[in-house]
Amino acid sequence: MIEITKLTCKYENKTILEDINLTIDSNITIMGANGSGKSSLAKMICNLTPYDGKIELDSTDIQKLSLKERAKSICYIPAKLEVYDNFISVEEFVLQARFAYKKSFLNYSDEDRKIVKQSLEFLNITHLKNHPLNSLSSGEQQLTLIASALTGQSKTIIFDEPTANLDPHNSKIIVKHIKELSKAHKIVLITHDLSIAFHLNNPILFVKDKTIKSYNEEFFQTNTLKKLYGVEFDSLVVKYD
């Protein structure tokens, strides 16, 4: 469970989120306009950006967790894979997610490599294991990031707009895997895609005007959407079933 108390975030004296009190104890979807603070919230939950207030993971202050302890509890998957080594392979990249379990100065174990193999097989990307990261398509990159999260075995996985750079076909593949992962992991999904949010059918946290409000099924009523986004809505387009 994630407990957020009196959370405030500022960038260069601009307040992004203010005095947020929130409990996340189930799979959720976070939505809101560009720049509203969705990604900032996700990064604060992972202790990747400064904040005022308190964030607890399973009753432990996240700032008191070691890097390895935090990695076992929660991971953040960005919208795009940043490649810093042009020659690292998919398998090598995914294996690095086992760092939280690796003993210092020792190589990764056979068990670590077995878990990598299982993650690649689960996502049907074993054929990519020897491919360098910079040779992958956007869809393949996103699947590689998911494989990394699976291999790290974090209890909670935060996806930050995982379909932002994908076509509808690849988006459907990613959404299918996210839904499957939600059976064994707590999933926090940030998205602009109303079709995906509707399909996943998780509670909605809507970020607006420095605050966060919770919604359930009523979120998808056209009058609610119009009020929140300021535009007219007719219907949701893409079906992910």
Side-chain angles (χ1 to χ4, degrees):
M1 183 167 66
I2 302 170
E3 286 276 1
I4 298 172
T5 308
K6 295 186 178 300
L7 183 71
T8 296
C9 175
K10 296 181 180 180
Y11 289 132
E12 298 180 350
N13 296 321
K14 179 184 178 182
T15 301
I16 307 300
L17 296 170
E18 187 171 25
D19 199 24
I20 302 298
N21 295 286
L22 187 66
T23 298
I24 300 174
D25 56 7
S26 65
N27 298 321
I28 62 163
T29 300
I30 301 177
M31 307 191 77
N34 291 333
S36 60
K38 301 183 301 298
S39 294
S40 296
L41 175 64
K43 291 177 181 177
M44 284 185 284
I45 292 173
C46 295
N47 201 31
L48 297 175
T49 192
Y51 61 87
D52 294 319
K54 189 174 185 179
I55 299 175
E56 293 180 307
L57 295 179
D58 297 326
S59 302
T60 301
D61 190 329
I62 192 171
Q63 294 184 338
K64 294 181 180 179
L65 293 174
S66 68
L67 186 61
K68 288 189 174 183
E69 289 172 331
R70 196 164 71 240
K72 291 177 183 179
S73 298
I74 194 165
C75 74
Y76 172 78
I77 299 182
K80 184 178 179 181
L81 175 63
E82 297 292 342
V83 180
Y84 298 102
D85 183 342
N86 289 329
F87 302 101
I88 190 171
S89 69
V90 167
E91 185 176 41
E92 291 168 333
F93 174 80
V94 174
L95 182 60
Q96 291 178 353
R98 296 297 301 170
F99 82 95
Y101 305 88
K102 187 172 78 71
K103 293 182 179 180
S104 300
F105 309 112
L106 295 181
N107 290 328
Y108 290 102
S109 67
D110 290 340
E111 179 64 17
D112 292 328
R113 297 180 187 281
K114 178 182 177 182
I115 292 171
V116 170
K117 182 175 183 292
Q118 291 172 340
S119 297
L120 297 179
E121 288 175 347
F122 176 78
L123 295 166
N124 297 314
I125 56 172
T126 302
H127 62 288
L128 297 174
K129 69 177 185 177
N130 294 320
H131 290 214
L133 292 182
N134 63 355
S135 71
L136 304 180
S137 68
S138 295
E140 291 168 342
Q141 288 182 5
Q142 197 58 235
L143 287 170
T144 299
L145 284 169
I146 295 175
S148 178
L150 269 177
T151 299
Q153 297 181 321
S154 301
K155 296 176 183 177
T156 299
I157 303 175
I158 299 180
F159 290 93
D160 194 347
E161 299 192 40
T163 61
N165 303 305
L166 305 183
D167 59 48
H169 174 74
N170 281 304
S171 293
K172 185 174 182 178
I173 293 173
I174 298 301
V175 171
K176 173 187 173 183
H177 287 306
I178 290 175
K179 193 162 189 177
E180 186 66 25
L181 289 175
S182 68
K183 298 175 182 178
H185 301 263
K186 184 181 295 177
I187 301 297
V188 177
L189 172 68
I190 298 173
T191 184
H192 284 292
D193 194 316
L194 290 166
S195 299
I196 292 175
F198 183 80
H199 173 71
L200 292 177
N201 194 32
N202 294 327
I204 304 292
L205 295 180
F206 197 84
V207 185
K208 185 177 181 180
D209 297 332
K210 307 175 188 176
T211 64
I212 298 175
K213 186 174 180 180
S214 300
Y215 294 87
N216 289 300
E217 294 86 357
E218 75 277 8
F219 177 82
F220 296 100
Q221 296 174 3
T222 54
N223 59 333
T224 302
L225 293 172
K226 179 181 178 181
K227 180 180 178 181
L228 292 173
Y229 287 101
V231 294
E232 295 284 351
F233 283 83
D234 184 12
S235 64
L236 306 177
V237 180
V238 181
K239 294 184 178 181
Y240 289 93
D241 291 319

